[in-house]
Amino acid sequence: MYKKDLVSVIIPFHNAEKYVGKCIECLKVQEYKDIEAIFVDDGSDDKTSEIISKCADSRIKLISLKKSGVSTARNVGIQHATGEYITFWDIDDMPHPDFISTFVDDIHKYNVDTVISNYEDVFVGNKHVEITLPWENQVIGEKEITEVLIPRMIYPTKGETAIRGLVWRTFTYTRILKQNNLFFDPDISMAEDLLFTIELYKLSKKIYVESRSLYDYIRNGNSSMNSRRDNVIEKQVLFHHRFVAELKRLGIYEKNKKRYAANKLNMYSVCISACVRNGNIQANALKDLKKLRRVLLDDDVNILQSDAPMKIKVANYLLLLKMYRLLIMIYAIKEKKRISKYN
């Protein structure tokens, strides 16, 4: 039995002592007070858990795990959630004080299953860039969810605005997750949000799109997204294996086949970027690019007929032509330009 109107906030973390104080402050200043904050420690070896334990707020719960990954940490949070509603935060971001109160008001007022909102990217120098959805304070039904929202999450076609699958701008009923056994895939550590949110939105008969930006996504250069990751090629291949299987299971693959193919082609660009993360050429960059080329050769993706942008197609052709050093040079320049926004 869920506690009516209690909101469960799931906050996974790993070695976050630098950010936990601000996160706790964000909880304390929430206009809506009926909250349970479930912090899930994913195998930290710093003082984050100690700081949380010393916090004199009965609404805060702490669960400690061996290092298992963010998906498992979030799943444990879901399992322990007792609130009527559930949402997710990243510990290094800054939800606005009206984050929970606005979501609770919206889900009641518009009688929907799920609410999603705009948010702001925050770069170095406190530069805020609002990221908006293509609806304004509007309820969207199953037709728009299936034919507009989810397709743009899979991959936007020319002229469309991409929609990222992000759990921290999403608010829903806890029972929807538990009754449908909806959890994060524990084997996926890249774009795990996307698989989760696509299924959640498909399960939702009505979604309200809140036009206010309720969450500051802090784009710092030390985040996991900007850190060097091992086995990127293997992780991307696994993700796409699960991604296409999920689209087929939900019955939406055939209508989105071309969008998925473009997303799959983009995978190779992501892997090339990983070879020069933050503009630093990795020691095994050439070896990884050769491995990536073998994966591309075995792939049935059609580069020429793909809806992916021309720059993605060119990168894939250069990979096929074994132009490894040229790719490293191009992507190193791109990475340095990208990371300059964060530092």
Side-chain angles (χ1 to χ4, degrees), residues 250-308:
L250 294 173
I252 56 177
Y253 174 72
E254 288 301 324
K255 285 188 176 181
N256 294 285
K257 188 184 292 187
K258 292 190 73 175
R259 290 178 185 268
Y260 171 73
N263 189 310
K264 179 72 179 295
L265 197 64
N266 187 65
M267 176 192 84
Y268 295 95
S269 181
V270 171
C271 292
I272 297 168
S273 292
C275 293
V276 290
R277 206 59 176 161
N278 295 346
N280 300 314
I281 300 172
Q282 305 301 320
N284 57 349
L286 276 175
K287 180 180 177 182
D288 282 350
L289 288 178
K290 291 176 182 178
K291 182 195 298 184
L292 186 63
R293 180 178 180 272
R294 291 194 294 271
V295 174
L296 179 56
L297 286 170
D298 291 337
D299 203 337
D300 59 0
V301 65
N302 189 314
I303 300 175
L304 187 62
Q305 294 181 8
S306 171
D307 285 343

Side-chain angles (χ1 to χ4, degrees), residues 127-218:
K127 180 184 177 183
H128 289 244
V129 178
E130 187 175 28
I131 308 300
T132 60
L133 290 157
W135 299 275
E136 293 187 9
N137 296 325
Q138 185 177 339
V139 175
I140 58 174
E142 291 177 279
K143 182 177 175 64
E144 279 188 284
I145 292 169
T146 303
E147 297 181 4
V148 182
L149 174 60
I150 292 176
R152 291 194 190 187
M153 292 169 66
I154 296 170
Y155 204 83
T157 58
K158 189 175 182 180
E160 291 180 347
T161 303
I163 299 175
R164 296 182 64 197
L166 303 166
V167 290
W168 40 254
R169 58 118 163 255
T170 301
F171 188 88
T172 193
Y173 286 91
T174 306
R175 60 174 166 76
I176 292 179
L177 306 189
K178 294 191 176 184
Q179 290 175 3
N180 292 281
N181 199 32
L182 176 50
F183 293 96
F184 293 85
D185 188 328
D187 297 326
I188 301 299
S189 59
M190 306 174 80
E192 69 284 344
D193 288 30
L194 180 59
L195 300 184
F196 182 90
T197 50
I198 283 178
E199 182 169 1
L200 172 60
Y201 299 164
K202 185 71 169 61
L203 287 168
S204 302
K205 295 186 183 302
K206 291 190 294 182
I207 295 175
Y208 182 71
V209 180
E210 170 59 59
S211 292
R212 278 180 287 179
S213 292
L214 302 175
Y215 193 96
D216 285 356
Y217 178 41
I218 310 302

Side-chain angles (χ1 to χ4, degrees), residues 229-241:
R229 296 184 178 186
D230 296 322
N231 304 314
V232 171
I233 296 173
E234 291 80 2
K235 289 176 180 177
Q236 283 285 340
V237 170
L238 175 61
F239 167 77
H240 277 275
H241 176 75

